[in-house]
């Protein structure tokens, strides 16, 4: 396949806390579907931490190629931009991050601020609850009836599921499974049936559209 078989998506919001030279940093990172969601999340955090010294934010909406950030009063380039850089390399899609700072009386300096804000988003991404989604390959398997029972018992070993089945002269199955598992499944089925099986990869462009 031309794209990865497995990709990560975010399940829910994460929150991280750090004390750096008496300044308290709170990072909240959340998946968003669009810019309205990102702005709503920002306003929620601003309201929740209305007494904070800074509520720095950055968000990424890949679908519309939207990237926004703000230093919210921190020295230019020391907060929002480093946060955005981390989000762009997060590898989990549309995200909004707000890092709240309660100033503790000790200045961190330009480098210290960059490390703090970038590090908070990195920590937020590392603790972000995610789940894996498989982009399945499709194969057609044609075999005779006596082998059906054992064939179906093999499927869980290769993370294969039956998308459709048709019973004519032979049994025909359409399977969905990780692309990298196809060779091993093909070998197992060939051995199981003494070669009396036909396995065909189905083209990616025949893939049915995803259900919203």
């Amino acid at each position: 396949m031309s794209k990865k078989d497995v990709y990560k998506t975010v399940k829910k919001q994460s929150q991280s806390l750090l004390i750096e030279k008496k300044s308290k940093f709170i990072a909240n990172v959340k998946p968003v579907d669009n810019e309205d969601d990102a702005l709503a999340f920002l306003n929620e955090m601003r309201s929740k931490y209305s007494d904070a010294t800074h509520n720095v934010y950055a968000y990424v909406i890949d679908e519309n190629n939207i990237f926004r950030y703000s230093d919210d009063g921190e020295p230019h380039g020391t907060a929002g931009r480093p946060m955005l850089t981390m989000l762009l390399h997060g590898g989990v899609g549309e995200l909004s991050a707000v890092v709240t700072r309660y100033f503790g009386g000790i200045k961190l300096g330009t480098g210290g601020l960059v490390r703090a804000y970038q590090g908070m988003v990195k920590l937020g991404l590392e603790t972000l609850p995610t789940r894996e989604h498989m982009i399945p390959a499709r194969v057609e398997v044609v075999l005779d009836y006596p082998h059906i029972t054992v064939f179906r018992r093999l499927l869980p070993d290769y993370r294969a599921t039956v998308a459709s089945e048709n019973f004519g002269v032979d049994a025909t199955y359409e399977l969905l499974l990780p692309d990298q598992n196809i060779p091993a499944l093909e070998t197992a089925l060939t051995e199981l049936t003494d070669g009396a099986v036909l396995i065909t990869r189905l083209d990616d462009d025949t893939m049915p559209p995803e259900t919203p």
Side-chain angles (χ1 to χ4, degrees):
M1 296 179 75
S2 59
K3 52 188 175 181
K4 292 182 178 179
D5 296 325
V6 177
Y7 65 96
K8 287 184 177 181
T9 59
V10 181
K11 295 171 65 176
K12 59 183 179 180
Q13 179 179 337
S14 75
Q15 184 179 90
S16 306
L17 173 66
L18 173 71
I19 305 297
E20 180 70 18
K21 293 185 178 179
K22 297 186 179 181
S23 280
K24 181 180 179 181
F25 291 88
I26 306 169
N28 284 279
V29 182
K30 182 180 181 180
V32 291
D33 293 326
N34 50 55
E35 190 166 21
D36 287 342
D37 284 352
L39 293 173
F41 177 59
L42 169 60
N43 289 332
E44 178 188 346
M45 294 298 99
R46 281 174 169 168
S47 177
K48 182 176 180 178
Y49 303 108
S50 59
D51 59 337
T53 314
H54 306 280
N55 283 297
V56 179
Y57 73 86
Y59 58 84
V60 177
I61 313 295
D62 288 337
E63 183 177 355
N64 302 107
N65 201 33
I66 297 174
F67 314 110
R68 300 279 189 270
Y69 66 92
S70 170
D71 293 315
D72 193 37
E74 292 283 28
H76 178 69
T78 63
R81 182 69 189 186
M83 288 171 55
L84 178 63
T85 299
M86 290 305 303
L87 290 181
L88 290 172
H89 291 87
V92 287
E94 286 75 12
L95 292 172
S96 180
V98 179
V99 176
T100 299
R101 181 189 184 191
Y102 289 89
F103 182 56
I106 301 175
K107 293 184 177 181
L108 301 183
T110 300
L113 287 173
V114 171
R115 287 190 295 272
Y117 281 101
Q118 196 167 57
M120 287 306 297
V121 175
K122 182 176 186 293
L123 182 60
L125 291 173
E126 290 172 347
T127 58
L128 205 58
T130 60
R131 59 171 174 246
E132 287 189 343
H133 281 269
M134 182 182 74
I135 303 173
R138 298 167 66 233
V139 297
E140 182 181 78
V141 176
V142 181
L143 72 167
D144 57 19
Y145 287 93
H147 293 114
I148 288 178
T149 300
V150 180
F151 156 71
R152 295 194 67 115
R153 288 176 183 167
L154 280 177
L155 300 185
D157 294 339
Y158 301 93
R159 296 179 63 192
T161 58
V162 175
S164 66
E165 55 189 8
N166 183 54
F167 302 109
V169 176
D170 294 307
T172 301
Y173 291 87
E174 180 183 325
L175 303 180
L176 302 178
L177 72 160
D179 186 75
Q180 70 268 20
N181 291 355
I182 293 175
L185 175 62
E186 187 171 3
T187 298
L189 287 176
T190 300
E191 293 176 353
L192 171 69
T193 63
D194 293 324
V197 62
L198 178 63
I199 302 174
T200 306
R201 289 174 182 256
L202 301 177
D203 293 337
D204 290 349
D205 56 11
T206 64
M207 193 77 166
E210 293 185 6
T211 303

